[in-house]
Amino acid sequence: MLKIRLLKDKIARHVMLGLTVLCLLILFIIGTVLLVKSLPVMRDHSLSQLLGDSSWKPFKGEFGFLSFILSTLHVTMIAIVIAFPLSLLTSIYLSEYSSPRARKIFSPVIDLLSGIPPVIYGVWGTLTIVPLISATIAPKFVDFSTGYSVLAGGVVLAIMIIPLIISILTEVFNAIPRETREASLSLGATKWQTVKKVVLRKSASGIIAAIVLAISRAFGETIAVLMVCGNFTDIPKSIFDACYPLPALIANNYGEMMSLPGYESALMFAALLLFLIIILFNAASRLILNQINHRYQL
Amino acid sequence: MRKLEEKIFKALMIGATTLIIAILLYIFYVILRKGLPSMNWDMVTRIPTGGFYLGKEGGILNAIAGSLMMIFGAVLISTFISLPVALFINFVLRKNSTFSNIARFGFDILFGIPSIVYGAFGFMVMILLGIQASLIGGMIAVALLIIPILVRSIDEVAAYVPRDMIEATLSLGATKYETLKVVYRQLMPGITTAILLAVGRGIGDAATVLFTAGYTDSIPTSLSQPAATLPLAIFFQLSSPIEEVQNRAYAAALILTVIILILSFLTRYFGNKLSKSKI
């Protein structure tokens, strides 16, 4: 009887260990498969050609990713510029000023915003942001814009990353011990001065981690951006021009036209690029956040 | 001067917070306004006739059924993998052992990988194995996507299981595996919340199922048939030039939003239960 119990225990442990290792291996398997698949295109073209050239002619075997990379960067930058100040102000308000009751009322807002599927944001964007840009905003700056643009992508992405930034920032602010704030307040500083000089300064690394994590989320967002960006292969000249971010490129073309030589490989190269950047950014910000948690727990 | 600065920033903060609430309400309003007029009995009880992209008749039952089957399979697969993993790194290993922390870090990274990468990877593996776009392909891709969510959310509630209870069980002579059966019961509300979160994320994601599950007008009758899903029903039908077809997209958007809302309420309900039992 005891033997059977011990045997069960042993088997269970090994199964659990195996599953854990297998899950973590997925990370390496994905990386390896993407690398192997993108080797052909890297053999035919130099890295500087792939990353620094904007001529995209799959039929002629020309794969320059510059316009896609720039599209991704522009859209992400706009998203961060819009989302960061809003999220920072909101999280300061929630963690430093508001009553616990107000916080309780606000928390479903964050949950719902982060729970709404990307495709719903896409629908909302095409119904509201796109016409707003083409009819009202763009005519003030440029002659013509369809509304499907860098700006539309940036705005929709901004709303999608706001809940992520807020939830990380409130966590970071909450990790700062109450005493540090009280020390500042007791010296006669106003609440805002305390926030500015104590809270924000103490959480600088956490704020950076939140931004980096938000950037990596924005890089990988596919469907919502695809629906409002216009998907036009050219380097966008203004924020009212259409653009074509990397994930949208993969989503629109993968699975079709696989017979073209090198095309699949080129798309896998795009996925590899996304994968590596996102892992790097994720790892960096998680390390910082873990360190913050660790520091204040001791 | 100091007072003025304080006032300005407080106003800005309240403004930002209000704006975010307003945006959320505006999103719901737009989806409701577009979706409600398109909703009717046919929409939820019939599959599209004459092709989903051009046919004017019929509804989106194919996508509703496809999505439900897909998420059911995906949750089943991923729970059977995630639960042992979360129990392992929390209770079999010491809570903060190096391996546990490395595993947590790994799942955080996996959580950050965009769904399009999971989708493309899944599709590539399917080609290698000679599998067509199908229900089972979609289930596996979605399972990959939600495993990190499940592991990390169960892991979070596992921290609240009283250590004394585990030690009491162990000191009575139970093996670690037998201890897990006790712990598992304590974790039930937490596991429910984790699954609800995962369902929400999995049912709404379009990029994972885009290549792996395909799209079809009919309801799949076996795992190897392609399956339609709600996010793709929205994505594809919205781009159609025909108004009736676009209306199907708006109706699908409304249904998906309602599903997300229900899930969110349930999560809150079980979450509250959890925090009560914590004390």
Side-chain angles (χ1 to χ4, degrees):
Chain A
M1 189 57 200
L2 183 65
K3 251 189 187 161
I4 295 172
R5 282 175 57 205
L6 286 177
L7 186 70
K8 261 192 187 167
D9 187 53
K10 211 172 180 182
I11 293 171
R13 278 176 194 232
H14 280 99
V15 169
M16 288 192 282
L17 175 67
L19 284 174
T20 312
V21 172
L22 190 71
C23 284
L24 296 174
L25 272 181
I26 289 175
L27 205 58
F28 294 96
I29 297 173
I30 294 178
T32 316
V33 171
L34 290 181
L35 183 67
V36 170
K37 281 278 178 181
S38 52
L39 275 180
V41 83
M42 287 199 271
R43 215 177 291 130
D44 293 345
H45 307 265
S46 69
L47 213 55
S48 62
Q49 216 175 345
L50 286 172
L51 301 178
D53 201 317
S54 66
S55 90
W56 179 261
K57 287 171 189 135
F59 289 96
K60 290 185 184 164
E62 287 177 23
F63 301 106
F65 282 97
L66 187 65
S67 58
F68 305 106
I69 295 171
L70 285 179
S71 293
T72 298
L73 289 179
H74 287 190
V75 172
T76 305
M77 209 159 65
I78 291 178
I80 299 287
V81 165
I82 298 172
F84 178 64
L86 278 176
S87 313
L88 185 65
L89 286 167
T90 304
S91 0
I92 295 174
Y93 181 69
L94 290 177
S95 67
E96 308 296 321
Y97 285 81
S98 75
S99 64
R101 223 179 114 237
R103 230 167 298 170
K104 219 173 182 176
I105 294 170
F106 194 77
S107 88
V109 175
I110 298 294
D111 285 354
L112 285 171
L113 273 178
S114 69
I116 293 176
V119 70
I120 300 287
Y121 279 107
V123 172
W124 180 74
T126 46
L127 288 174
T128 59
I129 303 294
V130 169
L132 180 74
I133 289 173
S134 76
T136 319
I137 302 175
K140 293 196 176 102
F141 300 94
V142 290
D143 294 336
F144 174 75
S145 166
T146 56
Y148 292 93
S149 56
V150 180
L151 183 61
V155 171
V156 169
L157 257 188
I159 299 167
M160 295 178 72
I161 57 176
I162 280 176
L164 176 74
I165 307 182
I166 292 182
S167 59
I168 295 175
L169 285 184
T170 36
E171 235 172 78
V172 168
F173 293 153
N174 287 339
I176 298 170
R178 173 168 293 277
E179 296 83 40
T180 36
R181 294 189 184 89
E182 273 159 12
S184 159
L185 288 172
S186 67
L187 287 172
T190 63
K191 210 157 194 189
W192 172 248
Q193 281 177 319
T194 307
V195 168
K196 204 166 55 172
K197 301 251 161 78
V198 180
V199 178
L200 289 184
R201 204 165 283 179
K202 279 247 171 202
S203 48
S205 62
I207 294 173
I208 292 170
I211 296 177
V212 173
L213 203 60
I215 291 176
S216 79
R217 175 67 59 85
F219 271 170
E221 184 39 56
T222 311
I223 293 294
V225 177
L226 171 68
M227 289 167 83
V228 297
C229 270
N231 306 323
F232 181 68
T233 320
D234 206 351
I235 297 176
K237 284 168 197 68
S238 81
I239 55 172
F240 303 109
D241 277 349
C243 67
Y244 208 161
L246 280 169
L249 172 76
I250 305 171
N252 261 345
N253 299 294
Y254 194 50
E256 297 159 22
M257 300 203 285
M258 291 299 229
S259 50
L260 278 180
Y263 197 49
E264 188 200 2
S265 178
L267 291 177
M268 283 304 100
F269 178 75
L272 181 69
L273 211 59
L274 273 180
F275 180 76
L276 290 179
I277 295 172
I278 286 169
I279 284 197
L280 195 72
F281 278 34
N282 251 289
S285 63
R286 291 290 176 194
L287 282 176
I288 299 173
L289 291 172
N290 284 350
Q291 209 183 6
I292 292 172
N293 274 335
H294 198 65
R295 190 193 315 153
Y296 290 111
Q297 259 169 20
L298 290 177
Chain B
M1 191 57 210
R2 278 168 50 184
K3 282 268 154 61
L4 185 70
E5 198 184 328
E6 175 94 33
K7 261 189 190 152
I8 292 173
F9 273 96
K10 195 161 179 195
L12 280 175
M13 283 180 231
I14 294 175
T17 313
T18 322
L19 180 64
I20 290 174
I21 299 175
I23 290 173
L24 177 72
L25 294 178
Y26 187 42
I27 294 174
F28 284 142
Y29 168 73
V30 169
I31 298 296
L32 267 178
R33 200 196 56 195
K34 274 286 184 181
L36 276 183
S38 321
M39 276 306 272
N40 51 50
W41 199 238
D42 272 7
M43 205 55 99
V44 290
T45 54
R46 287 181 59 193
I47 59 175
T49 44
F52 70 87
Y53 195 73
L54 294 171
K56 294 184 180 179
E57 295 287 310
I60 45 170
L61 183 64
N62 57 335
I64 300 173
S67 261
L68 291 179
M69 289 181 205
M70 182 96 58
I71 198 65
F72 181 76
V75 165
L76 208 64
I77 299 170
S78 53
T79 309
F80 271 111
I81 296 173
S82 316
L83 187 59
V85 170
L87 291 176
F88 183 72
I89 57 177
N90 273 287
F91 302 111
V92 177
L93 298 174
R94 270 176 304 110
K95 195 177 152 203
N96 279 317
S97 70
T98 319
F99 183 69
S100 299
N101 286 333
I102 291 174
R104 283 197 184 95
F105 187 68
F107 282 104
D108 277 343
I109 305 283
L110 280 170
F111 177 65
I113 292 178
S115 50
I116 182 81
V117 171
Y118 281 119
F121 170 73
F123 184 58
M124 209 151 44
V125 174
M126 283 163 65
I127 294 177
L128 285 178
L129 300 176
I131 308 172
Q132 298 277 313
S134 59
L135 190 56
I136 184 76
M139 282 175 184
I140 294 173
V142 174
L144 283 180
L145 178 79
I146 59 181
I147 283 174
I149 303 172
L150 278 171
V151 172
R152 287 302 268 136
S153 356
I154 300 176
D155 181 48
E156 249 165 57
V157 287
Y160 295 110
V161 172
R163 292 279 132 183
D164 304 353
M165 198 178 74
I166 299 162
E167 272 148 31
T169 325
L170 284 175
S171 69
L172 286 171
T175 62
K176 280 248 166 144
Y177 172 65
E178 287 158 345
T179 313
L180 293 184
K181 290 187 203 159
V182 183
V183 171
Y184 158 78
R185 236 162 258 166
Q186 279 281 311
L187 279 177
M188 241 1 241
I191 294 169
T192 317
T193 329
I195 289 178
L196 289 171
L197 269 176
V199 169
R201 180 83 194 278
I203 207 167
D205 199 86
T208 27
V209 289
L210 187 59
F211 321 117
T212 52
Y215 201 85
T216 165
D217 283 351
S218 50
I219 298 170
T221 47
S222 86
L223 285 175
S224 55
Q225 283 176 1
T229 42
L230 281 169
L232 290 182
I234 301 168
F235 180 61
F236 288 142
Q237 299 186 126
L238 194 67
S239 62
S240 165
I242 300 163
E243 205 191 325
E244 283 86 349
V245 178
Q246 283 191 6
N247 284 343
R248 285 209 291 266
Y250 296 132
L254 180 61
I255 293 173
L256 189 56
T257 308
V258 169
I259 293 177
I260 297 297
L261 274 173
I262 294 173
L263 287 169
S264 173
F265 282 123
L266 287 177
T267 313
R268 218 140 253 288
Y269 174 74
F270 284 105
N272 284 343
K273 244 188 177 173
L274 186 71
S275 60
K276 259 176 221 152
S277 64
K278 224 186 305 181
I279 306 162

